[in-house]
Amino acid sequence: MKKNMGSIDKLVRLVLAAIMVILYFNGIISGTLGIVLVGLALVLVVTSFVSYCPLYSPFGINTCPKDK
């Protein structure tokens, strides 16, 4: 897999994942929606750590800085 995520993209994903998890564990969001958000948070964290988003490929999106 070729990396297609830059550092800002990864940071935004990690922050969003943290917010989703905090909302769930504080009871602000619960039930099915809460479980879906925790699952989405897990996906965001994993894609952030591997620096690859499979949804970016079909659309040709690449937030990595250009190599010189």
Side-chain angles (χ1 to χ4, degrees):
M1 291 182 296
K2 186 178 178 184
K3 293 183 180 183
N4 64 0
M5 289 176 51
S7 58
I8 294 174
D9 194 6
K10 292 189 281 188
L11 180 65
V12 168
R13 287 172 183 258
L14 289 174
V15 169
L16 286 175
I19 290 170
M20 290 179 199
V21 170
I22 289 169
L23 289 174
Y24 178 74
F25 284 112
N26 283 334
I28 297 170
I29 297 176
S30 61
T32 305
L33 178 61
I35 294 170
V36 169
L37 285 181
V38 169
L40 180 60
L42 180 63
V43 170
L44 290 175
V45 168
V46 169
T47 57
S48 180
F49 281 123
V50 296
S51 298
Y52 178 76
C53 179
L55 291 177
Y56 280 5
S57 295
F59 299 108
I61 299 171
N62 187 350
T63 61
C64 275
K66 301 283 185 200
D67 291 332
K68 293 185 178 182

